[in-house]
Every structure is written in C-alpha cells, then in structure tokens.
Amino acid sequence: MTSPAELAEAFQSLYGSRPRIYRAPGRVNLIGEHTDYNDGFVMPAAIDFSTSVAIDARDDRRIVIRSENFSEPVELDLDQPPARGRGDWSDYPFGVAVKLEGTGQRLRGANILVRGEVPIGSGLSSSAAIEVATGFALLDIAGAPIDRLDLAKVCQQAENEFVGMRCGLMDQFISCFGQTGHALMLDCRSLAHQLLPLPENVRLVVCNTMVKHELAASEYNARRAECEESVRLLARELPEVRSLRDVTIEDLERTGGELPEVIRKRSRHIVSENARVVAAAAALQREDLKTFGELMGESHRSLRDDYEVSCEELDLMVNIANQAAGVFGARMTGGGFGGCTINLVAADSVDIFKQTVASGYAQATGRVPEIYVCTPAQGAERVA
Ligand code: GLA
C-alpha cells in the first residue's frame, strides 16, 4: 500500500515542493466482457490496488512526469500538444491532459510523480487508473470542477485516440464511480448504473496467470471491428439494429446463417453475454451465488470458444479453480490473452482455494501465480 506521506516525500526530494496527492483504482470485472463497446451491460468492481499521483502546479504550461516504475522523466508542452502518443507509458497521462484541453479546459503546467500499484499488463486496468488519477489531479489543481462522467469519457477518448486502443468505457467509469463493498452494473448505452452490494460471505479472488500475450491490443481492436461488421450486416435485415445490444439470440438464429462463421460466433458471445449480466445482477440481488457462479462459467466458455480471447493459461487457471473447494464460479476477466481470472469464493474457503490454485498452476506451468483477495474499493479521490 502506498503511504501518501512517503510519496509526498519522494516528490519533494525530486521536485523541491510539497504536492497534493490523488489516487484512482484498478478494477476487476465480475461479468460482462467485451460488451461495453457494444452498448451492452458490464459488472465491474473497483479494487484496492490504485495508482497514486503526487502533483504540484508549475508556472509554465509544461507537464513533467515521472513514474517510480520507469526512471526517466517525460515532458509535455500543453501549448504544443502532439496528436498521438509516442508508444510509452506517458501516453496515458499525457493523452488525458491533451484531451482535457481539447474539451476547452485550460490546464496548468505541473510536476507529477506517479506510483502505480495495479499490476501492469494483468488485465486489472492499470491504464484506466493512471488516466483517471492524472485527469482528476490536473483538473483539481487548475481549480476546475470535476464531473466524474465527463472525466471517465475524456479518459476513454484519450485511450482511443491518443494511445490507439479502442477500449469501451467500463474501466474508466468504474475507476471514477466505484463504491466500497459494491460491484456496479452499468448499462453502457444509457450509462444508468446500479450499485450491487457484495454478500458478506463471499470474496472476490483474483488469480494472475503472470502472462500477457503480444496480440492483446491488436486482437482487441480486431474484435471491435468484427462487432461493427456484424452490425452492418445484420442491419440489412434488421434496420433498427444500431449495435449488438439491439440483437437477440432469436434474431441471430433467424438471420445469423448469412453471417460469416467468425462474425456469427463473435455476435453470439456479445448477445449471450449481455443476457448473462442481466441474469447475474438479479442473482446477486437475491444472494443466489450458485446461479451467479454458473453464469461466470458460461461467460468463460463463451469468451474461450466464441469470442476467442482466452488462452491456455487462463483456461488452465479456470479449470483448476473449478475443482477447488468453496468456489461458486471462475472466469477470465478483462480483455483476455493473459492477465487474470476472477473467482467468486466462499469467505471461509479462501485459504484453501488459494493453495489449490497456486500449487496446481505452478505445477502445470512452472509459474508462480500472484493471488489477490480483493475488496470492492472506492473510486478516484484526493488523498488527505
Ligand atoms: C478492456 C477494455 C474495456 C473492456 C474490456 C473487456 O479492459 O479497456 O473497455 O472492453 O477490455 O471487457
């Protein structure tokens, strides 16, 4: 855990002034994968890993940023903003600064020190955490009001246009709106959302495969393009369809024969996954963890077989988890191609669950997994 006092001291010895400190969390997604950019439903929770930003205003319009994970400082001149990132970690915070200015905000230059605790490349959204923490901090030191929804959207826009990753809104939204003890069901079309308390007797256990396959970013954008292609094809027969959110399984069965096989499978995942999120929210509300867990299992199989974004390590991790004591459900979480699984586990079985998964996975792969027992956490804030 980052001690704000330590971070402030590190900042002071680098830049010579006292900073303000902000933080924003990473997330885990309980169910609803790849549905966000299809106007669908998702159910993430913010986790107790966050990225902290220590910041102090400068007299000019330059942003100088350092991360404790990367030694060299990087600079951005707000008066000469580049159109795109340069392909390194600073693209995330700088993209947010550039896009905030693009909305008409007048930012101040700043010195920044970043401390990231969200494991990078693990599918827990370290990118949204640094985006939201930086955006929140830059607005606040400029004296601008913070509208969390606008901030989440600007951060998504930065990632889409400045970084070049065509992500949906889920990660930035939950990093802004997470509430302690709650998962959040979000309708990505209307942006209506509902907080769902997590029952006392379960834990969210996140298991890290410790692998991240190269294709994650390119395949992500490819999936998104396939969904768009599906909408284009389906709309010829179903003119009211604007996104896969508007399509039912019956529609797919009726008209799907004309879709190319790959597009049909991708669409089937999105359409069935949306239905699973709705069912899962109802199950959670009546504390029916058995049903919730079964839906997680179906989600994983659909991501593996129809959407094809899982990988050997994720499948293995899920299979081992499914045989462990006290587990209600297990699935990959996030974009896929490595990263983490999310497991819903009875509170009194967490220790044995961790041992089973850790030893089973290490035996099969030679890799020691990291396992985090997460408590749903609060969204972005200024730290006292
Ligand atoms: C990444 C993206 C999200 C979402 C998930 C998959 O985390 O940033 O917008 O699409 O993948 O559900």
Side-chain angles (χ1 to χ4, degrees):
M1 278 286 123
T2 304
S3 134
E6 273 166 22
L7 182 59
E9 236 159 70
F11 181 97
Q12 188 155 20
S13 64
L14 278 172
Y15 295 112
S17 67
R18 293 299 289 174
R20 291 190 195 177
I21 295 180
Y22 300 82
R23 54 159 285 277
R27 63 101 189 89
V28 66
N29 190 18
L30 275 61
I31 194 161
E33 220 66 85
H34 289 273
T35 41
D36 61 350
Y37 53 83
N38 288 295
D39 277 354
F41 299 101
V42 293
M43 197 193 292
I47 54 176
D48 35 14
F49 284 121
S50 28
T51 293
S52 298
V53 159
I55 188 168
D56 192 25
R58 296 170 56 100
D59 294 330
D60 58 15
R61 291 253 298 157
R62 295 201 340 247
I63 296 183
V64 178
I65 191 164
R66 293 173 211 245
S67 159
E68 293 193 332
N69 294 330
F70 308 92
S71 53
E72 290 302 303
V74 200
E75 282 199 31
L76 171 78
D77 182 348
L78 286 169
D79 291 322
Q80 290 183 344
R84 282 197 204 319
R86 13 177 276 171
D88 74 9
W89 69 273
S90 65
D91 293 351
Y92 298 96
F94 286 169
V96 172
V98 169
K99 295 297 172 186
L100 278 172
E101 288 247 323
T103 67
Q105 288 289 349
R106 176 86 182 165
L107 298 177
R108 301 183 64 181
N111 292 325
I112 298 179
L113 176 62
V114 177
R115 181 176 285 177
E117 284 173 350
V118 186
I120 293 177
S122 63
L124 299 178
S125 216
S126 57
S127 45
I130 190 174
E131 287 159 10
V132 170
T134 311
F136 201 110
L138 286 171
L139 286 171
D140 208 43
I141 65 159
I146 291 159
D147 177 308
R148 285 175 187 258
L149 183 55
D150 288 347
L151 176 59
K153 286 180 178 170
V154 167
C155 291
Q156 180 200 15
Q157 192 196 357
E159 198 159 331
N160 288 176
E161 295 169 9
F162 199 85
V163 179
M165 165 85 176
R166 298 185 62 214
C167 65
L169 186 62
M170 168 170 73
D171 304 348
Q172 294 79 9
F173 191 95
I174 189 66
S175 189
C176 286
F177 287 96
Q179 289 280 327
T180 309
H182 293 77
L184 181 150
M185 159 132 161
L186 172 66
D187 176 338
C188 297
R189 170 170 278 166
S190 69
L191 300 182
H193 51 283
Q194 188 187 0
L195 289 166
L196 300 167
L198 207 66
E200 288 287 322
N201 56 345
V202 285
R203 296 289 176 272
L204 301 179
V205 184
V206 174
C207 300
N208 192 340
T209 61
M210 312 304 280
V211 299
K212 180 81 194 168
H213 296 293
E214 272 305 308
L215 7 94
S218 59
E219 288 293 309
Y220 185 94
N221 288 348
R223 290 300 175 284
R224 190 161 177 169
E226 285 164 350
C227 292
E228 287 163 0
E229 174 66 358
S230 177
V231 171
R232 200 181 61 77
L233 295 172
L234 288 168
R236 293 188 303 198
E237 271 193 57
L238 304 165
E240 70 289 357
V241 166
R242 281 181 294 129
S243 73
L244 287 176
R245 159 70 176 275
D246 302 314
V247 178
T248 63
I249 287 287
E250 296 74 48
D251 288 338
L252 270 187
E253 277 161 8
R254 234 178 329 111
T255 57
E258 289 145 46
L259 296 177
E261 173 66 5
V262 167
I263 302 281
R264 196 178 56 78
K265 283 165 66 175
R266 304 297 188 250
S267 312
R268 188 167 61 193
H269 166 71
I270 300 301
V271 173
S272 63
E273 184 79 348
N274 276 330
R276 281 187 288 272
V277 182
V278 174
L284 194 56
Q285 276 173 319
R286 53 175 200 272
E287 303 204 358
D288 177 356
L289 298 172
K290 184 167 171 290
T291 301
F292 195 101
E294 284 164 7
L295 291 162
M296 291 173 77
E298 281 171 29
S299 167
H300 184 80
R301 289 188 289 279
S302 175
L303 287 157
R304 182 191 64 195
D305 301 336
D306 277 352
Y307 218 61
E308 296 179 278
V309 292
S310 187
C311 63
E312 229 178 279
E313 295 86 352
L314 285 166
D315 294 342
L316 176 73
M317 193 76 113
V318 165
N319 288 341
I320 298 171
N322 281 332
Q323 285 150 32
V327 68
F328 291 104
R331 55 181 290 276
M332 55 157 277
T333 189
F337 300 103
C340 292
T341 64
I342 168 77
N343 305 267
L344 198 63
V345 181
D348 55 12
S349 302
V350 163
D351 289 339
I352 175 84
F353 174 85
K354 283 170 67 179
Q355 282 165 26
T356 308
V357 172
S359 66
Y361 187 77
Q363 239 165 44
T365 63
R367 285 195 169 83
V368 179
E370 287 178 6
I371 301 184
Y372 326 107
V373 182
C374 294
T375 325
Q378 198 66 21
E381 62 191 357
R382 181 174 173 187
V383 180

